[in-house]
mmCIF file of all heavy atoms in Angstrom:
data_model
loop_
_atom_site.group_PDB
_atom_site.id
_atom_site.type_symbol
_atom_site.label_atom_id
_atom_site.label_comp_id
_atom_site.label_asym_id
_atom_site.label_seq_id
_atom_site.Cartn_x
_atom_site.Cartn_y
_atom_site.Cartn_z
ATOM 1 N N MET A 227 43.064 2.485 19.208
ATOM 2 C CA MET A 227 42.143 1.970 20.215
ATOM 3 C C MET A 227 42.701 2.038 21.637
ATOM 4 O O MET A 227 42.016 2.516 22.549
ATOM 5 C CB MET A 227 41.727 0.536 19.862
ATOM 6 C CG MET A 227 40.693 0.443 18.748
ATOM 7 S SD MET A 227 40.351 -1.278 18.252
ATOM 8 C CE MET A 227 39.706 -1.969 19.785
ATOM 9 N N PRO A 228 43.943 1.585 21.886
ATOM 10 C CA PRO A 228 44.463 1.678 23.257
ATOM 11 C C PRO A 228 44.575 3.110 23.766
ATOM 12 O O PRO A 228 44.275 3.389 24.929
ATOM 13 C CB PRO A 228 45.844 1.019 23.157
ATOM 14 C CG PRO A 228 45.773 0.155 21.944
ATOM 15 C CD PRO A 228 44.880 0.883 20.990
ATOM 16 N N ILE A 229 45.012 4.041 22.903
ATOM 17 C CA ILE A 229 45.147 5.440 23.308
ATOM 18 C C ILE A 229 43.786 6.026 23.657
ATOM 19 O O ILE A 229 43.609 6.710 24.673
ATOM 20 C CB ILE A 229 45.815 6.262 22.189
ATOM 21 C CG1 ILE A 229 47.204 5.706 21.880
ATOM 22 C CG2 ILE A 229 45.892 7.735 22.558
ATOM 23 C CD1 ILE A 229 47.867 6.318 20.669
ATOM 24 N N LEU A 230 42.794 5.737 22.818
ATOM 25 C CA LEU A 230 41.444 6.222 23.074
ATOM 26 C C LEU A 230 40.895 5.631 24.361
ATOM 27 O O LEU A 230 40.245 6.325 25.162
ATOM 28 C CB LEU A 230 40.540 5.863 21.894
ATOM 29 C CG LEU A 230 39.069 6.299 22.005
ATOM 30 C CD1 LEU A 230 38.961 7.806 22.138
ATOM 31 C CD2 LEU A 230 38.275 5.798 20.795
ATOM 32 N N PHE A 231 41.170 4.347 24.592
ATOM 33 C CA PHE A 231 40.686 3.707 25.808
ATOM 34 C C PHE A 231 41.251 4.386 27.049
ATOM 35 O O PHE A 231 40.524 4.670 28.004
ATOM 36 C CB PHE A 231 41.058 2.223 25.815
ATOM 37 C CG PHE A 231 40.788 1.553 27.132
ATOM 38 C CD1 PHE A 231 39.499 1.228 27.507
ATOM 39 C CD2 PHE A 231 41.829 1.275 28.006
ATOM 40 C CE1 PHE A 231 39.242 0.632 28.733
ATOM 41 C CE2 PHE A 231 41.585 0.671 29.222
ATOM 42 C CZ PHE A 231 40.289 0.354 29.586
ATOM 43 N N VAL A 232 42.555 4.659 27.068
ATOM 44 C CA VAL A 232 43.182 5.308 28.226
ATOM 45 C C VAL A 232 42.573 6.683 28.463
ATOM 46 O O VAL A 232 42.264 7.065 29.607
ATOM 47 C CB VAL A 232 44.705 5.409 28.023
ATOM 48 C CG1 VAL A 232 45.336 6.294 29.092
ATOM 49 C CG2 VAL A 232 45.334 4.028 28.051
ATOM 50 N N ALA A 233 42.387 7.457 27.378
ATOM 51 C CA ALA A 233 41.817 8.797 27.520
ATOM 52 C C ALA A 233 40.409 8.748 28.098
ATOM 53 O O ALA A 233 40.055 9.534 28.988
ATOM 54 C CB ALA A 233 41.806 9.498 26.161
ATOM 55 N N LEU A 234 39.586 7.813 27.620
ATOM 56 C CA LEU A 234 38.218 7.702 28.116
ATOM 57 C C LEU A 234 38.190 7.154 29.535
ATOM 58 O O LEU A 234 37.447 7.649 30.398
ATOM 59 C CB LEU A 234 37.397 6.805 27.190
ATOM 60 C CG LEU A 234 37.192 7.290 25.755
ATOM 61 C CD1 LEU A 234 36.324 6.293 24.977
ATOM 62 C CD2 LEU A 234 36.563 8.673 25.720
ATOM 63 N N TRP A 235 38.999 6.117 29.784
ATOM 64 C CA TRP A 235 38.956 5.452 31.097
ATOM 65 C C TRP A 235 39.352 6.403 32.221
ATOM 66 O O TRP A 235 38.793 6.357 33.311
ATOM 67 C CB TRP A 235 39.875 4.237 31.071
ATOM 68 C CG TRP A 235 39.632 3.260 32.178
ATOM 69 C CD1 TRP A 235 40.308 3.156 33.352
ATOM 70 C CD2 TRP A 235 38.634 2.236 32.202
ATOM 71 N NE1 TRP A 235 39.804 2.124 34.117
ATOM 72 C CE2 TRP A 235 38.774 1.544 33.420
ATOM 73 C CE3 TRP A 235 37.647 1.826 31.298
ATOM 74 C CZ2 TRP A 235 37.961 0.484 33.782
ATOM 75 C CZ3 TRP A 235 36.839 0.760 31.647
ATOM 76 C CH2 TRP A 235 36.997 0.096 32.872
ATOM 77 N N SER A 236 40.312 7.283 31.956
ATOM 78 C CA SER A 236 40.778 8.201 33.002
ATOM 79 C C SER A 236 39.675 9.148 33.448
ATOM 80 O O SER A 236 39.663 9.590 34.612
ATOM 81 C CB SER A 236 41.984 9.000 32.498
ATOM 82 O OG SER A 236 41.609 9.870 31.445
ATOM 83 N N THR A 237 38.735 9.468 32.571
ATOM 84 C CA THR A 237 37.674 10.405 32.939
ATOM 85 C C THR A 237 36.644 9.781 33.874
ATOM 86 O O THR A 237 35.848 10.497 34.470
ATOM 87 C CB THR A 237 36.942 10.933 31.691
ATOM 88 O OG1 THR A 237 36.269 9.840 31.027
ATOM 89 C CG2 THR A 237 37.906 11.586 30.717
ATOM 90 N N GLY A 238 36.657 8.455 34.027
ATOM 91 C CA GLY A 238 35.720 7.825 34.942
ATOM 92 C C GLY A 238 35.953 8.252 36.383
ATOM 93 O O GLY A 238 35.000 8.469 37.145
ATOM 94 N N PHE A 239 37.226 8.393 36.779
ATOM 95 C CA PHE A 239 37.541 8.845 38.131
ATOM 96 C C PHE A 239 37.099 10.302 38.326
ATOM 97 O O PHE A 239 36.618 10.677 39.398
ATOM 98 C CB PHE A 239 39.042 8.716 38.385
ATOM 99 C CG PHE A 239 39.549 7.311 38.219
ATOM 100 C CD1 PHE A 239 40.043 6.863 37.003
ATOM 101 C CD2 PHE A 239 39.516 6.423 39.285
ATOM 102 C CE1 PHE A 239 40.507 5.570 36.851
ATOM 103 C CE2 PHE A 239 39.983 5.125 39.145
ATOM 104 C CZ PHE A 239 40.460 4.698 37.924
ATOM 105 N N ILE A 240 37.258 11.113 37.284
ATOM 106 C CA ILE A 240 36.846 12.510 37.359
ATOM 107 C C ILE A 240 35.326 12.605 37.431
ATOM 108 O O ILE A 240 34.774 13.412 38.185
ATOM 109 C CB ILE A 240 37.374 13.290 36.128
ATOM 110 C CG1 ILE A 240 38.904 13.143 36.027
ATOM 111 C CG2 ILE A 240 36.973 14.745 36.211
ATOM 112 C CD1 ILE A 240 39.661 13.604 37.249
ATOM 113 N N GLY A 241 34.643 11.749 36.663
ATOM 114 C CA GLY A 241 33.178 11.733 36.708
ATOM 115 C C GLY A 241 32.656 11.358 38.084
ATOM 116 O O GLY A 241 31.670 11.926 38.568
ATOM 117 N N ALA A 242 33.328 10.400 38.727
ATOM 118 C CA ALA A 242 32.930 10.027 40.093
ATOM 119 C C ALA A 242 33.076 11.218 41.030
ATOM 120 O O ALA A 242 32.210 11.474 41.875
ATOM 121 C CB ALA A 242 33.773 8.853 40.574
ATOM 122 N N LYS A 243 34.154 11.952 40.878
ATOM 123 C CA LYS A 243 34.403 13.117 41.737
ATOM 124 C C LYS A 243 33.326 14.187 41.529
ATOM 125 O O LYS A 243 32.875 14.819 42.493
ATOM 126 C CB LYS A 243 35.785 13.686 41.417
ATOM 127 C CG LYS A 243 36.275 14.741 42.376
ATOM 128 C CD LYS A 243 36.870 14.140 43.614
ATOM 129 C CE LYS A 243 37.531 15.205 44.485
ATOM 130 N NZ LYS A 243 38.101 14.636 45.713
ATOM 131 N N PHE A 244 32.895 14.386 40.294
ATOM 132 C CA PHE A 244 31.860 15.368 39.995
ATOM 133 C C PHE A 244 30.482 14.921 40.500
ATOM 134 O O PHE A 244 29.704 15.731 41.003
ATOM 135 C CB PHE A 244 31.773 15.615 38.483
ATOM 136 C CG PHE A 244 32.673 16.702 37.981
ATOM 137 C CD1 PHE A 244 33.683 16.420 37.073
ATOM 138 C CD2 PHE A 244 32.516 18.012 38.404
ATOM 139 C CE1 PHE A 244 34.527 17.423 36.605
ATOM 140 C CE2 PHE A 244 33.350 19.026 37.942
ATOM 141 C CZ PHE A 244 34.352 18.727 37.040
ATOM 142 N N GLY A 245 30.164 13.633 40.354
ATOM 143 C CA GLY A 245 28.803 13.179 40.608
ATOM 144 C C GLY A 245 28.505 12.778 42.034
ATOM 145 O O GLY A 245 27.361 12.910 42.497
ATOM 146 N N LEU A 246 29.508 12.297 42.780
ATOM 147 C CA LEU A 246 29.252 11.743 44.109
ATOM 148 C C LEU A 246 28.771 12.753 45.146
ATOM 149 O O LEU A 246 28.116 12.347 46.114
ATOM 150 C CB LEU A 246 30.496 11.010 44.617
ATOM 151 C CG LEU A 246 30.722 9.651 43.946
ATOM 152 C CD1 LEU A 246 32.079 9.076 44.316
ATOM 153 C CD2 LEU A 246 29.614 8.676 44.321
ATOM 154 N N PRO A 247 29.055 14.053 45.014
ATOM 155 C CA PRO A 247 28.424 14.989 45.963
ATOM 156 C C PRO A 247 26.900 15.026 45.853
ATOM 157 O O PRO A 247 26.228 15.510 46.768
ATOM 158 C CB PRO A 247 29.027 16.343 45.565
ATOM 159 C CG PRO A 247 30.336 16.014 44.942
ATOM 160 C CD PRO A 247 30.081 14.724 44.201
ATOM 161 N N HIS A 248 26.339 14.488 44.769
ATOM 162 C CA HIS A 248 24.894 14.594 44.533
ATOM 163 C C HIS A 248 24.171 13.254 44.678
ATOM 164 O O HIS A 248 22.935 13.209 44.602
ATOM 165 C CB HIS A 248 24.647 15.152 43.129
ATOM 166 C CG HIS A 248 25.394 16.419 42.847
ATOM 167 N ND1 HIS A 248 25.032 17.634 43.377
ATOM 168 C CD2 HIS A 248 26.526 16.643 42.116
ATOM 169 C CE1 HIS A 248 25.885 18.572 42.973
ATOM 170 N NE2 HIS A 248 26.793 17.987 42.209
ATOM 171 N N ALA A 249 24.892 12.149 44.861
ATOM 172 C CA ALA A 249 24.263 10.832 45.015
ATOM 173 C C ALA A 249 25.236 9.905 45.710
ATOM 174 O O ALA A 249 26.457 10.011 45.525
ATOM 175 C CB ALA A 249 23.851 10.256 43.661
ATOM 176 N N GLU A 250 24.707 8.965 46.492
ATOM 177 C CA GLU A 250 25.549 7.967 47.137
ATOM 178 C C GLU A 250 26.077 6.978 46.102
ATOM 179 O O GLU A 250 25.459 6.788 45.047
ATOM 180 C CB GLU A 250 24.743 7.259 48.227
ATOM 181 C CG GLU A 250 24.350 8.192 49.370
ATOM 182 C CD GLU A 250 23.204 7.651 50.203
ATOM 183 O OE1 GLU A 250 22.104 7.490 49.631
ATOM 184 O OE2 GLU A 250 23.393 7.399 51.398
ATOM 185 N N PRO A 251 27.207 6.335 46.381
ATOM 186 C CA PRO A 251 27.909 5.576 45.324
ATOM 187 C C PRO A 251 27.116 4.443 44.706
ATOM 188 O O PRO A 251 27.070 4.314 43.475
ATOM 189 C CB PRO A 251 29.165 5.059 46.046
ATOM 190 C CG PRO A 251 28.896 5.194 47.497
ATOM 191 C CD PRO A 251 27.971 6.348 47.641
ATOM 192 N N PHE A 252 26.472 3.591 45.503
ATOM 193 C CA PHE A 252 25.746 2.462 44.929
ATOM 194 C C PHE A 252 24.484 2.925 44.197
ATOM 195 O O PHE A 252 24.119 2.363 43.162
ATOM 196 C CB PHE A 252 25.408 1.436 46.012
ATOM 197 C CG PHE A 252 26.615 0.826 46.662
ATOM 198 C CD1 PHE A 252 26.702 0.719 48.043
ATOM 199 C CD2 PHE A 252 27.682 0.369 45.910
ATOM 200 C CE1 PHE A 252 27.822 0.164 48.647
ATOM 201 C CE2 PHE A 252 28.805 -0.186 46.494
ATOM 202 C CZ PHE A 252 28.876 -0.284 47.871
ATOM 203 N N THR A 253 23.831 3.953 44.735
ATOM 204 C CA THR A 253 22.671 4.525 44.047
ATOM 205 C C THR A 253 23.092 5.114 42.704
ATOM 206 O O THR A 253 22.423 4.913 41.672
ATOM 207 C CB THR A 253 22.023 5.616 44.915
ATOM 208 O OG1 THR A 253 21.618 5.041 46.162
ATOM 209 C CG2 THR A 253 20.826 6.232 44.224
ATOM 210 N N PHE A 254 24.189 5.853 42.719
ATOM 211 C CA PHE A 254 24.741 6.451 41.500
ATOM 212 C C PHE A 254 25.012 5.366 40.461
ATOM 213 O O PHE A 254 24.602 5.467 39.289
ATOM 214 C CB PHE A 254 26.023 7.190 41.879
ATOM 215 C CG PHE A 254 26.590 8.079 40.806
ATOM 216 C CD1 PHE A 254 27.677 8.899 41.094
ATOM 217 C CD2 PHE A 254 26.087 8.094 39.524
ATOM 218 C CE1 PHE A 254 28.228 9.721 40.130
ATOM 219 C CE2 PHE A 254 26.620 8.924 38.536
ATOM 220 C CZ PHE A 254 27.699 9.731 38.848
ATOM 221 N N LEU A 255 25.664 4.289 40.874
ATOM 222 C CA LEU A 255 26.019 3.218 39.944
ATOM 223 C C LEU A 255 24.793 2.469 39.447
ATOM 224 O O LEU A 255 24.748 2.045 38.279
ATOM 225 C CB LEU A 255 26.994 2.251 40.615
ATOM 226 C CG LEU A 255 28.411 2.777 40.816
ATOM 227 C CD1 LEU A 255 29.228 1.817 41.659
ATOM 228 C CD2 LEU A 255 29.088 3.017 39.469
ATOM 229 N N PHE A 256 23.789 2.281 40.315
ATOM 230 C CA PHE A 256 22.581 1.588 39.880
ATOM 231 C C PHE A 256 21.875 2.369 38.773
ATOM 232 O O PHE A 256 21.479 1.797 37.750
ATOM 233 C CB PHE A 256 21.634 1.381 41.063
ATOM 234 C CG PHE A 256 20.357 0.674 40.690
ATOM 235 C CD1 PHE A 256 20.357 -0.686 40.439
ATOM 236 C CD2 PHE A 256 19.167 1.383 40.575
ATOM 237 C CE1 PHE A 256 19.176 -1.347 40.082
ATOM 238 C CE2 PHE A 256 17.988 0.737 40.216
ATOM 239 C CZ PHE A 256 17.999 -0.629 39.973
ATOM 240 N N VAL A 257 21.725 3.669 38.961
ATOM 241 C CA VAL A 257 21.094 4.504 37.929
ATOM 242 C C VAL A 257 21.913 4.461 36.645
ATOM 243 O O VAL A 257 21.373 4.357 35.535
ATOM 244 C CB VAL A 257 20.939 5.957 38.427
ATOM 245 C CG1 VAL A 257 20.418 6.858 37.313
ATOM 246 C CG2 VAL A 257 19.992 6.004 39.623
ATOM 247 N N ARG A 258 23.218 4.523 36.787
ATOM 248 C CA ARG A 258 24.103 4.461 35.617
ATOM 249 C C ARG A 258 23.924 3.145 34.866
ATOM 250 O O ARG A 258 23.824 3.132 33.626
ATOM 251 C CB ARG A 258 25.543 4.629 36.081
ATOM 252 C CG ARG A 258 26.590 4.430 35.002
ATOM 253 C CD ARG A 258 27.978 4.655 35.581
ATOM 254 N NE ARG A 258 29.034 4.209 34.662
ATOM 255 C CZ ARG A 258 30.326 4.283 34.929
ATOM 256 N NH1 ARG A 258 30.738 4.792 36.074
ATOM 257 N NH2 ARG A 258 31.226 3.846 34.046
ATOM 258 N N CYS A 259 23.869 2.022 35.587
ATOM 259 C CA CYS A 259 23.717 0.718 34.945
ATOM 260 C C CYS A 259 22.363 0.591 34.252
ATOM 261 O O CYS A 259 22.270 0.069 33.131
ATOM 262 C CB CYS A 259 23.882 -0.400 35.972
ATOM 263 S SG CYS A 259 25.578 -0.643 36.549
ATOM 264 N N VAL A 260 21.299 1.058 34.904
ATOM 265 C CA VAL A 260 19.957 0.959 34.319
ATOM 266 C C VAL A 260 19.870 1.771 33.037
ATOM 267 O O VAL A 260 19.331 1.309 32.014
ATOM 268 C CB VAL A 260 18.899 1.409 35.341
ATOM 269 C CG1 VAL A 260 17.528 1.558 34.666
ATOM 270 C CG2 VAL A 260 18.800 0.405 36.487
ATOM 271 N N LEU A 261 20.402 2.987 33.051
ATOM 272 C CA LEU A 261 20.377 3.816 31.845
ATOM 273 C C LEU A 261 21.210 3.182 30.727
ATOM 274 O O LEU A 261 20.830 3.239 29.549
ATOM 275 C CB LEU A 261 20.909 5.216 32.165
ATOM 276 C CG LEU A 261 20.012 6.088 33.045
ATOM 277 C CD1 LEU A 261 20.696 7.421 33.347
ATOM 278 C CD2 LEU A 261 18.664 6.341 32.363
ATOM 279 N N THR A 262 22.331 2.587 31.094
ATOM 280 C CA THR A 262 23.157 1.908 30.093
ATOM 281 C C THR A 262 22.402 0.750 29.452
ATOM 282 O O THR A 262 22.430 0.566 28.224
ATOM 283 C CB THR A 262 24.454 1.394 30.739
ATOM 284 O OG1 THR A 262 25.159 2.490 31.331
ATOM 285 C CG2 THR A 262 25.341 0.719 29.710
ATOM 286 N N LEU A 263 21.700 -0.034 30.263
ATOM 287 C CA LEU A 263 20.908 -1.152 29.742
ATOM 288 C C LEU A 263 19.780 -0.650 28.846
ATOM 289 O O LEU A 263 19.463 -1.279 27.821
ATOM 290 C CB LEU A 263 20.333 -1.968 30.893
ATOM 291 C CG LEU A 263 21.356 -2.817 31.671
ATOM 292 C CD1 LEU A 263 20.736 -3.377 32.941
ATOM 293 C CD2 LEU A 263 21.875 -3.949 30.798
ATOM 294 N N MET A 264 19.176 0.466 29.205
ATOM 295 C CA MET A 264 18.088 1.029 28.389
ATOM 296 C C MET A 264 18.575 1.446 27.005
ATOM 297 O O MET A 264 17.791 1.487 26.053
ATOM 298 C CB MET A 264 17.457 2.223 29.114
ATOM 299 C CG MET A 264 16.661 1.842 30.355
ATOM 300 S SD MET A 264 16.103 3.286 31.309
ATOM 301 C CE MET A 264 15.036 4.088 30.095
ATOM 302 N N LEU A 265 19.856 1.743 26.888
ATOM 303 C CA LEU A 265 20.422 2.091 25.584
ATOM 304 C C LEU A 265 20.935 0.863 24.836
ATOM 305 O O LEU A 265 20.786 0.768 23.611
ATOM 306 C CB LEU A 265 21.556 3.096 25.764
ATOM 307 C CG LEU A 265 21.165 4.486 26.258
ATOM 308 C CD1 LEU A 265 22.403 5.322 26.526
ATOM 309 C CD2 LEU A 265 20.277 5.191 25.244
ATOM 310 N N LEU A 266 21.536 -0.074 25.562
ATOM 311 C CA LEU A 266 22.163 -1.218 24.901
ATOM 312 C C LEU A 266 21.146 -2.241 24.393
ATOM 313 O O LEU A 266 21.311 -2.798 23.297
ATOM 314 C CB LEU A 266 23.142 -1.904 25.851
ATOM 315 C CG LEU A 266 24.501 -1.250 26.042
ATOM 316 C CD1 LEU A 266 25.343 -2.041 27.031
ATOM 317 C CD2 LEU A 266 25.229 -1.122 24.712
ATOM 318 N N VAL A 267 20.108 -2.523 25.176
ATOM 319 C CA VAL A 267 19.148 -3.563 24.783
ATOM 320 C C VAL A 267 18.450 -3.219 23.468
ATOM 321 O O VAL A 267 18.394 -4.060 22.551
ATOM 322 C CB VAL A 267 18.131 -3.821 25.916
ATOM 323 C CG1 VAL A 267 17.022 -4.740 25.433
ATOM 324 C CG2 VAL A 267 18.833 -4.443 27.122
ATOM 325 N N PRO A 268 17.896 -1.990 23.284
ATOM 326 C CA PRO A 268 17.314 -1.662 21.968
ATOM 327 C C PRO A 268 18.329 -1.740 20.835
ATOM 328 O O PRO A 268 17.988 -2.127 19.713
ATOM 329 C CB PRO A 268 16.812 -0.225 22.159
ATOM 330 C CG PRO A 268 16.616 -0.082 23.622
ATOM 331 C CD PRO A 268 17.688 -0.900 24.250
ATOM 332 N N LEU A 269 19.593 -1.384 21.122
ATOM 333 C CA LEU A 269 20.622 -1.460 20.088
ATOM 334 C C LEU A 269 20.849 -2.898 19.648
ATOM 335 O O LEU A 269 20.978 -3.185 18.447
ATOM 336 C CB LEU A 269 21.922 -0.850 20.631
ATOM 337 C CG LEU A 269 23.112 -0.832 19.677
ATOM 338 C CD1 LEU A 269 22.812 0.014 18.458
ATOM 339 C CD2 LEU A 269 24.362 -0.309 20.397
ATOM 340 N N ILE A 270 20.849 -3.826 20.601
ATOM 341 C CA ILE A 270 21.024 -5.241 20.267
ATOM 342 C C ILE A 270 19.849 -5.749 19.443
ATOM 343 O O ILE A 270 20.022 -6.470 18.457
ATOM 344 C CB ILE A 270 21.174 -6.067 21.562
ATOM 345 C CG1 ILE A 270 22.503 -5.753 22.227
ATOM 346 C CG2 ILE A 270 21.085 -7.563 21.276
ATOM 347 C CD1 ILE A 270 22.671 -6.382 23.582
#
Side-chain angles (χ1 to χ4, degrees):
M227 283 174 62
I229 300 172
L230 180 60
F231 171 76
V232 170
L234 297 181
W235 197 262
S236 66
T237 64
F239 301 92
I240 304 303
K243 190 82 172 179
F244 271 117
L246 285 171
H248 308 286
E250 295 161 297
F252 298 133
T253 301
F254 191 174
L255 288 172
F256 180 75
V257 174
R258 173 179 168 181
C259 288
V260 170
L261 290 177
T262 302
L263 288 169
M264 290 173 62
L265 293 174
L266 282 179
V267 172
L269 180 62
I270 291 173

